[in-house]
Amino acid sequence: MTGAEFDDLAEAELTNRDGTVGRLNDHFPALLIRRALGLNEPLTGRRARFLMTSYTHDGSWLAHGWKDSLRIVSEVIPKVRGVDEPAVWVQEERDYYGDCESTNRFAVGRSRVWVEQYVSSTTPAEDPGSVVWLDNLNRDPNTPELRTLHSVQGHPDPVGARVVVAGDSVETDLRAVSPVRMTNDGDLAITVMAEGDWYRWARDYPAEPHPSLRWEHASNVWVE
């Protein structure tokens, strides 16, 4: 996929510019992961992941990994003490949803941050049993990555996974909080909850109810 095509995908967010959402029709929800370096768009509030690196005692590069479940809580700052490049402040999502004014955050170089966002894709998810995923084993980590979401139907254990509900409208920032169940009417359904409530559960339970907890038809639920 070319850079221009990824730019088009970036414009095809599941939430429209006016804040409304619509049906996906013949499209499928997908997760687009792009390097923040070079993005000319607002970053505050975006889901993000951070590239961690590991070195041997003599300074040789050993391996790299990812820290995800982060939120960007600032725009790019030209100079931050201790960071040798323009940086953004990030925060663990647990703290982000618990208290957006928390000081429990840290500055990281923009070149080491990747932004995650939901987009619509005309490409359906591959069969989990296929070997097409092998084509991506040697992907350049600097290039954008598109991950098409899978239907929650058939997922062995979606509890805790991020999901998108795509029915008459599209809703994101949700978590699955049950396996797929069969209703008394013979329909497959699953319970979901707003991600903010999912993170606040330990803090508020059992004093506060969870008003966003609800059932959804499994056919409308897509899982990362």
Side-chain angles (χ1 to χ4, degrees), residues 92-135:
E92 293 274 0
E93 279 196 307
R94 180 179 298 277
D95 294 328
Y96 176 84
Y97 281 112
D99 179 6
C100 290
E101 300 303 319
S102 169
T103 58
N104 186 22
R105 54 185 64 179
F106 49 95
V108 295
R110 184 182 187 182
S111 67
R112 301 181 69 180
V113 175
W114 272 250
V115 176
E116 304 176 357
Q117 70 186 97
Y118 289 119
V119 298
S120 59
S121 170
T122 56
T123 305
E126 297 291 347
D127 183 342
S130 73
V131 295
V132 175
W133 63 274
L134 290 171
D135 294 339

Side-chain angles (χ1 to χ4, degrees), residues 51-104:
L51 180 62
M52 302 180 292
T53 51
S54 179
Y55 300 89
T56 61
H57 290 297
D58 63 4
S60 299
W61 182 80
L62 181 63
H64 77 265
W66 296 96
K67 173 69 180 83
D68 65 357
S69 298
L70 300 171
R71 288 278 180 163
I72 300 174
V73 292
S74 78
E75 294 304 319
V76 178
I77 301 172
K79 190 171 182 60
V80 177
R81 184 177 180 181
V83 183
D84 59 2
E85 63 171 310
V88 294
W89 288 88
V90 299
Q91 186 174 35
E92 293 274 0
E93 279 196 307
R94 180 179 298 277
D95 294 328
Y96 176 84
Y97 281 112
D99 179 6
C100 290
E101 300 303 319
S102 169
T103 58
N104 186 22

Side-chain angles (χ1 to χ4, degrees), residues 156-201:
D157 185 15
V159 174
R162 286 191 175 96
V163 295
V164 170
V165 173
D168 292 332
S169 63
V170 178
E171 188 175 356
T172 63
D173 292 335
L174 299 169
R175 294 276 184 161
V177 292
S178 81
V180 176
R181 302 296 190 192
M182 184 170 287
T183 68
N184 292 335
D185 296 328
D187 298 321
L188 294 178
I190 186 172
T191 47
V192 300
M193 174 188 284
E195 197 166 47
D197 285 344
W198 188 84
Y199 276 110
R200 285 191 292 264
W201 178 86

